[in-house]
Amino acid sequence: MSILVRSRSQSEISFNTTIDLCPMPSVLLTGTAPCEFVTIGRSFILIPPVKEPSNFELIKSRLGGRLLFAVPKKGRLQEPTLELLQGSDIQFKREHRLDIALVKNLDIALVFLPAADIPTFVGEGRVDIGITGRDQVAEYEADPSSTGASGVDEVLDLGFGKCKLQIQVPEGSQFQTSNDLVGQRIATSFMGLTERFFAKLEGVNSNAGSRDDIVAGKLKTKIRSLGGSVETACTLGVADGIVDLVESGETMRAAGLKAIDTVIESTAVLIRSKHPSNQKLIDLITSRIKGVINAQKYVLCQYNIPRSLLDKAREITPGKRAPTVTALDSSDWVAISSMVLKKEIAPVMDQLVDVGATDILVLEITNSRTN
């Protein structure tokens, strides 16, 4: 009696088999799940089991194949992120204590994750897009062995959550530059970026290999990982300096620290997987978010001015492409509408008054589609 071991596609595959010819053949496949047998004459065809779907694949299937969009579940980036989603007309209701919310008007599921974990989930293709800090993306990419062929693409700088990852030492410390801290004790929650920063100062190759390779390359600086309250490390004698995020600097000054160097400047960014499931929907989301960001930067300035002063008005309010000029009932006057940068509107209004404009109004723009 003969036995054939074939896949479902009928191409031969290799298995570790033992065959008992009396009275019926039996097959033992080491390290595999139970298989299916089909009898054809005096031959047996063994059909390997179909691969079971992963938990991730099951969850995504239950979500109806929706685009998965990761957003911060807490922290300084959460509130502006939710405001951005609202302005982009991404409608959802998050149930209490649930970290997944279905979007009502788009084929999207929001996944609420710690900002530090979002680059990993996006980089591994577990979610399609996400919003996090550029510092977190850089920390994820600091270890090439963790990214491999995966990784993320930055789609858009969102302009909020600005901060700096800085090296801080106590006021009056003998260490005045980052080079002074080589070989000393450093505390941080950004191990990857900190190790690469000091590896460069020490002349250790940090362009290839994992973080373990860098440490194995005789890194002299003693870098310790702390999950929170890093600013207390120097006061408590745990470290000679720290590497931590700084926004206004008030917390660091209150802890008696001062900045001596900057590792990276950060802001919130929209990132996507290198293999997204629905690029068309990502493009739509990106377009909407861009519209909201532009709207936040500009206001609409409207005013009336004598037609004879139109050229001067155009110089003051040129608009994005050109101002909109509308004739009034009085042939000697025109009405002008123009987008003006919000941060410049006060001096622009002053200039308009000086040249003879009247009835000046400033209107908020909630959304836009502009180049």
Side-chain angles (χ1 to χ4, degrees):
M1 182 176 292
S2 62
I3 182 167
L4 303 177
V5 182
R6 296 184 182 275
S7 69
R8 289 184 184 272
S9 63
Q10 297 298 297
S11 60
E12 293 190 4
I13 54 178
S14 175
F15 283 107
N16 181 10
T17 65
T18 61
I19 302 175
D20 179 8
L21 297 178
C22 296
M24 291 287 292
S26 63
V27 177
L28 170 66
L29 301 179
T30 61
T32 68
C35 298
E36 179 182 349
F37 290 88
V38 177
T39 304
I40 302 178
R42 291 181 57 79
S43 296
F44 284 77
I45 299 179
L46 180 148
I47 304 178
V50 178
K51 179 185 176 183
E52 291 294 328
S54 65
N55 289 337
F56 167 72
E57 291 168 334
L58 288 173
I59 292 173
K60 192 155 187 176
S61 174
R62 289 169 186 165
L63 292 174
R66 289 171 178 257
L67 184 87
L68 299 186
F69 189 165
V71 295
K73 66 184 300 182
K74 59 183 179 179
R76 61 190 179 86
L77 298 182
Q78 187 192 47
E79 184 175 348
T81 295
L82 297 182
E83 291 175 356
L84 188 63
L85 297 181
Q86 182 181 13
S88 303
D89 194 31
I90 296 176
Q91 303 172 12
F92 69 96
K93 180 181 179 181
R94 183 186 179 189
E95 298 296 337
H96 182 59
R97 299 179 68 86
L98 289 182
D99 289 337
I100 295 180
L102 301 184
V103 175
K104 300 175 183 178
N105 58 333
L106 291 169
D107 202 18
I108 299 171
L110 298 180
V111 185
F112 292 84
L113 298 168
D117 294 339
I118 289 177
T120 300
F121 280 89
V122 176
E124 294 183 358
R126 302 299 180 177
V127 297
D128 299 285
I129 57 174
I131 292 176
T132 187
R134 184 175 284 126
D135 55 297
Q136 301 294 352
V137 176
E139 175 68 10
Y140 165 70
E141 293 178 338
D143 187 355
S145 66
S146 67
T147 58
S150 62
V152 304
D153 291 327
E154 183 177 318
V155 179
L156 195 60
D157 185 331
L158 303 178
F160 61 83
K162 293 182 179 179
C163 60
K164 297 178 181 179
L165 185 63
Q166 291 187 322
I167 299 176
Q168 303 262 341
V169 296
E171 291 281 359
S173 169
Q174 60 177 315
F175 309 113
Q176 296 299 310
T177 69
S178 52
N179 279 297
D180 294 338
L181 285 171
V182 170
Q184 306 304 317
R185 301 170 302 162
I186 305 295
T188 184
S189 58
F190 290 82
M191 291 294 292
L193 288 172
T194 303
E195 287 171 353
R196 288 191 174 273
F197 183 86
F198 280 96
K200 184 176 180 180
L201 291 181
E202 295 183 27
V204 176
N205 181 19
S206 63
N207 295 323
S210 66
R211 283 171 45 197
D212 291 339
D213 294 334
I214 295 174
V215 175
K218 300 187 176 6
L219 194 64
K220 298 176 183 176
T221 309
K222 306 169 189 67
I223 302 172
R224 171 177 289 186
S225 175
L226 292 181
S229 300
V230 178
E231 69 276 2
T232 64
C234 294
T235 302
L236 298 177
V238 175
D240 302 302
I242 68 168
V243 177
D244 203 14
L245 287 179
V246 178
E247 292 183 77
S248 65
E250 291 296 328
T251 301
M252 295 302 174
R253 283 191 287 272
L257 301 173
K258 65 176 182 179
I260 59 173
D261 209 340
T262 297
V263 177
I264 187 174
E265 295 188 6
S266 180
T267 185
V269 291
L270 177 69
I271 58 176
R272 73 170 179 87
S273 165
K274 291 186 180 295
H275 307 286
S277 63
N278 190 336
Q279 183 61 48
K280 185 176 181 180
L281 188 51
I282 291 177
D283 292 340
L284 174 66
I285 295 169
T286 303
S287 176
R288 289 191 179 189
I289 291 177
K290 280 183 179 179
V292 174
I293 292 173
N294 281 329
Q296 292 171 345
K297 293 179 181 178
Y298 289 88
V299 291
L300 186 64
C301 183
Q302 296 180 334
Y303 58 93
N304 298 330
I305 195 166
R307 187 179 292 274
S308 60
L309 299 175
L310 185 55
D311 289 340
K312 290 184 177 180
R314 285 196 182 103
E315 291 177 4
I316 299 171
T317 56
K320 291 280 286 183
R321 183 170 289 109
T324 300
V325 180
T326 307
L328 299 179
D329 284 344
S330 173
S331 60
D332 295 335
W333 286 75
V334 294
I336 293 181
S337 296
S338 180
M339 290 177 67
V340 178
L341 283 170
K342 187 179 293 186
K343 63 183 180 181
E344 298 176 359
I345 188 60
V348 165
M349 294 174 71
D350 295 336
Q351 294 175 56
L352 290 173
V353 170
D354 290 342
V355 299
T358 63
D359 310 318
I360 304 172
L361 301 176
V362 176
L363 308 177
E364 290 287 339
I365 304 173
T366 59
N367 212 326
S368 68
R369 293 292 189 278
T370 59
N371 294 327

